[in-house]
Structures are given as structure tokens and as C-alpha cells.
Amino acid sequence: MGKIIGIDLGTTNSCMAYLREGGEVDIILNSNGGRITPSVVSFMENREIIVGEAAKNQAVLNSEKTISSIKREMGTNYKVNIDGKEYTPQEISAIILKKLKRDAEEYFGEPVTEAVITVPAYFSDAQRQATKDAGRIAGLNVKRIINEPTAAALAYGLDKEEDQTVLVYDLGGGTFDVSILEITSIDGEKTVEVKSTNGINRLGGDDFDKILIDYIVESFKKENKIDLSKDKMAYQAIKNSAEKCKIELSEAKKSRITIPFISANE
């Protein structure tokens, strides 16, 4: 039997893991040696499709052919048009999953055909089926779809403790939700059930980035009378710096953004 990998197909970033014998969990590194892969797909002029960090780094420069946060559209009739061809959210997600599958195969040195994928607890049946379809298109047999708060509780080890009611707070790149879980023992087996969930499925780290970007652009415009949003190279640099700033602010009270030679006037 081949390996079954666990995939967090995130709005902003995706991650893979593998459960070794003995219960130890390994994060599967991508082809760049990273633990997470940006959930970004970019269609290049030479018909090449790039995924992950490379796609994210030129998202502004190639904005019309770069897709991010597609998870927000899963299970809907939304389509994106690239060079006259329409792609469904399942097809774009499948491109991301194919990249993850290739990286996992490179990591293990053997084929990977089965996976478990996590989804938000509020995902409807249509959204869950769309996620399964994306896996199938990518060449993966999706053994199970697991609610993200359930996966979080299991990863934290809460199933190894006494019966309890737990609140899982999930603030991701594209969504924010809170779920109430009930962990109980039935015939010696622990079960984790999502009793209630609610939140905003279009609020997350992406939106925080946008607020920081807008603040930087407006501040620079006010001080220097130059609109950096109209300069794609400058805007891409600001976008990258804003995200780094946000991450730094998770642990520090202040963060400084310095971008040399951002622009020039007459």
C-alpha cells in the first residue's frame, strides 16, 4: 500500500504532511525546500503554468493571468478566463494539487496517489465534492475530507485527553471562523464532532495585506505626490514587503518597511 498524504489546501498557502509509523508526523517539503506552498497559479506567455512561490512573486506583473484565493470560489459556478479558455475552481485547485503531488513524489522517491484533504467546517456538500473533484483531476484518490477544526484538534492531541468541549479559532489567509467541537469516548474510541461553526469566509491574512498595501501607497502618495499603485514593479515590491511586515507584527510591536529606489520623479 502506498503512502497517504495529508493536504491542507489553503486559501493563501497549502501544506502537506505524512503520518509515520509510531504516530510521528513529518511535514513534506516542497521542491524549494519550503514547508508551505503559496496557493497561487500563474499562466505564462509561453503557455507554461507555474505554481507556488514563483507564481506569487510575479502576481502583480502578470496580474491578468495569475489566480489566487481560488478556494473562496469552490463549489460555485465561478470561472476564470485565461487566453480564451475558461477554468473552474476545481481545475485551478487541481493545478495546485498536481504541484503538491509532484513535490511529495520527489520527497519520497515514489508515486503518491492517495490523500486526505482538509476543508473549512462550514463547507457545503457542493464545496466538499468540488474539493474531491479537484483531487481526482490532479490524479489523487481522496480517501477522506476532514473538517479543518477537527484536524487541528487531532494534531494538537486533544483526542488523547478526557471528554471535553473545545473551541477552535481559525484565522487563515482567506477565512476566519470559530468552531465548537465535542470530543467524547464511545466504546473506547474517541470521536470528534463539530457541533457548531460560524465565521466570515472572505476575511483573513490576504485582507490584512491589502490594508497595509493601501496604507503604504496612500502615505507615499501624500508625501511624494507619486501613485505607486500605477507602477507594477513598485506595487509588487510593496505587496511582498507588506506581507513580511504583517508576519513580523505577529511577534513584534513594530515593523519597519524599507524599499530602496521604489520610484523616481522628474
Side-chain angles (χ1 to χ4, degrees):
M1 180 179 174
K3 291 179 172 59
I4 301 176
I5 62 173
I7 298 176
D8 175 7
L9 183 60
T11 307
T12 307
N13 295 297
S14 294
C15 182
M16 301 177 288
Y18 169 63
L19 185 66
R20 288 193 280 120
E21 289 185 19
E24 292 295 318
V25 177
D26 285 341
I27 296 294
I28 301 170
L29 304 181
N30 62 26
S31 58
N32 296 325
R35 294 163 64 90
I36 59 173
T37 300
S39 303
V40 184
V41 177
S42 191
F43 294 77
M44 309 302 287
E45 293 299 330
N46 59 1
R47 296 184 180 275
E48 181 188 4
I49 300 175
I50 58 176
V51 182
E53 200 69 41
K56 178 182 175 181
N57 288 340
Q58 50 83 72
V60 174
L61 302 176
N62 188 31
S63 58
E64 293 181 0
K65 295 183 181 180
T66 299
I67 302 105
S68 58
S69 301
I70 195 65
K71 181 177 176 177
R72 287 176 166 177
E73 311 299 340
M74 290 293 276
T76 71
N77 294 323
Y78 177 86
K79 289 183 176 64
V80 58
N81 191 304
I82 304 291
D83 294 329
K85 181 179 178 181
E86 289 190 332
Y87 294 85
T88 64
Q90 295 95 304
E91 290 172 321
I92 298 298
S93 295
I95 295 172
I96 298 168
L97 288 171
K98 280 181 184 177
K99 154 74 171 167
L100 298 176
K101 181 177 183 292
R102 282 196 308 272
D103 287 352
E105 290 174 338
E106 185 178 312
Y107 183 84
F108 290 119
E110 62 181 80
V112 173
T113 58
E114 297 182 315
V116 171
I117 302 178
T118 61
V119 298
Y122 61 78
F123 254 28
S124 65
D125 288 341
Q127 290 170 305
R128 291 167 192 269
Q129 185 57 53
T131 304
K132 272 196 165 186
D133 291 343
R136 176 181 51 78
I137 296 168
L140 289 168
N141 175 21
V142 181
K143 304 293 287 184
R144 192 169 178 184
I145 296 290
I146 297 181
N147 290 323
E148 288 169 0
T150 300
L154 294 173
Y156 196 71
L158 292 177
D159 59 315
K160 296 177 177 62
E161 300 177 13
E162 70 281 356
D163 292 0
Q164 57 190 310
T165 300
V166 180
L167 181 145
V168 176
Y169 174 99
D170 185 357
L171 177 58
T175 61
F176 162 65
D177 54 84
V178 174
S179 302
I180 304 296
L181 275 60
E182 195 168 79
I183 302 173
T184 55
S185 295
I186 301 177
D187 298 328
E189 291 287 327
K190 284 284 186 179
T191 64
V192 181
E193 182 182 357
V194 178
K195 304 298 290 185
S196 179
T197 188
N198 207 341
I200 305 171
N201 61 2
R202 290 183 182 270
L203 173 66
D206 286 354
D207 303 285
F208 300 164
D209 291 348
K210 185 65 168 62
I211 289 170
L212 281 170
I213 291 166
D214 290 345
Y215 174 76
I216 295 165
V217 169
E218 284 304 311
S219 298
F220 193 88
K221 185 177 179 181
K222 186 176 180 180
E223 186 176 334
N224 299 284
K225 306 297 187 283
I226 297 174
D227 187 355
L228 295 177
S229 66
K230 300 187 183 306
D231 181 338
K232 286 188 175 183
M233 291 287 287
Y235 197 80
Q236 180 72 61
I238 292 170
K239 188 175 187 296
N240 295 343
S241 296
E243 183 183 13
K244 289 178 182 176
C245 170
K246 176 195 67 179
I247 293 169
E248 287 176 7
L249 288 171
S250 296
E251 297 181 350
K253 292 184 178 181
K254 290 182 180 180
S255 176
R256 179 181 293 275
I257 293 178
T258 304
I259 310 174
F261 312 112
I262 189 68
S263 185
N265 57 20
E266 62 277 0

